[in-house]
Amino acid sequence: MTHRYSRIVGTGSVLPPRIVTNEQLVAELGSRGIDTSDQWIVERTGIRQRHLADEGVTSSRLAAEAGRRALAAAQLGPTDLDLIIVATSTPDFVFPSTACLVQKELGAPGGAAFDVQAVCTGFVYAFAVADSMIRGGLAHRALVVGAEVFSRILDWNDRGTCVLFGDGAGAVVLAGADQPGVLAAKLHADGRHESILRTAGNVCHGEITGHPYLTMDGQAVFKLAVSVLDSVARETLDAAGLSIEAVDWMIPHQANVRILNATARRLGIPMSKVIVTVDEHANTSAASIPLALDRAVRDGRIRAGQHVLMEGVGGGFTWGAALVRF
């Protein structure tokens, strides 16, 4: 059976229980001679704390738990799935994919399972792919997860990056539908900007080659992020035949509160309509949008009939957006 549309029928998320506040992180960094402060972090990023995974906690483990919660919200079981896509830049292994490990953990064998690597835009990419596969008849019910343990790839001696990121996972269940749920999605990339945000290490002949930690040109990322988030939001709304005024909630990638503020200002969307979790979660890369989405669904802000615009931007350089009617 081929469905003309897909809809979100369940959301779920999980955060590692260990919370590290700015004060705790500043104290740890200070003990190693790295100068920063809670005020410096908050003023530049809006981040006040982050969740960090304990040793041995992997992206697949977080993804599977977020998936279980999304399935429970959808009142479905693992065997109802015929597609699992995991967006991650911190997979458990080179291969097999994190999605295959999640499939094994959930007990959902048989359907397609693969990873998507578009860094912080990864969830939007994976979401759009799942929507297209359902519309095309290749799948009927899909679990789409963003999961990261970014703490594993941070240089904890670089105050410009180590204060920015956290760990976690968020998930949605998409199901075929006769009425529109996913109204439009647009995806883009420009590899000419690959150097401004990357982790350039690799495994070769049993050894790590290149630089194993995340590096970022913060000013270049900020400038490009605000520009492309503005343009892709308008492009996606145009594709759906809706105006900016039709957006009930915007969920941007939770990278930096200044990027969120600047994007909302350029679009003319009041911050009261922007879901913000960066202060509590920090930047969780591909997990940030589904984490924020699940938070707003469960606390009642997002309700049936409302339009939600999800936007991602990340290394690659990648960006994209999806407009959903709940």
Side-chain angles (χ1 to χ4, degrees), residues 122-144:
F123 178 78
V124 175
Y125 266 59
F127 186 84
V129 169
D131 172 58
S132 295
M133 290 179 69
I134 290 173
R135 288 175 184 243
L138 283 173
H140 304 295
R141 294 191 185 98
L143 178 67
V144 183

Side-chain angles (χ1 to χ4, degrees), residues 211-271:
H211 190 68
Y213 299 122
L214 179 148
T215 59
M216 180 175 68
D217 180 342
Q219 288 187 334
V221 169
F222 180 92
K223 182 178 179 181
L224 191 56
V226 173
S227 173
V228 299
L229 287 173
D230 173 70
S231 63
V232 79
R234 297 179 189 277
E235 180 190 12
T236 305
L237 285 162
D238 285 347
L242 293 174
S243 67
I244 288 173
E245 289 72 27
V247 175
D248 294 294
W249 296 103
M250 183 170 73
I251 306 180
H253 165 53
Q254 306 287 310
N256 181 313
V257 74
R258 292 190 301 160
I259 294 177
L260 272 63
N261 286 332
T263 302
R265 186 166 57 249
R266 286 181 66 153
L267 288 169
I269 294 176
M271 284 301 294

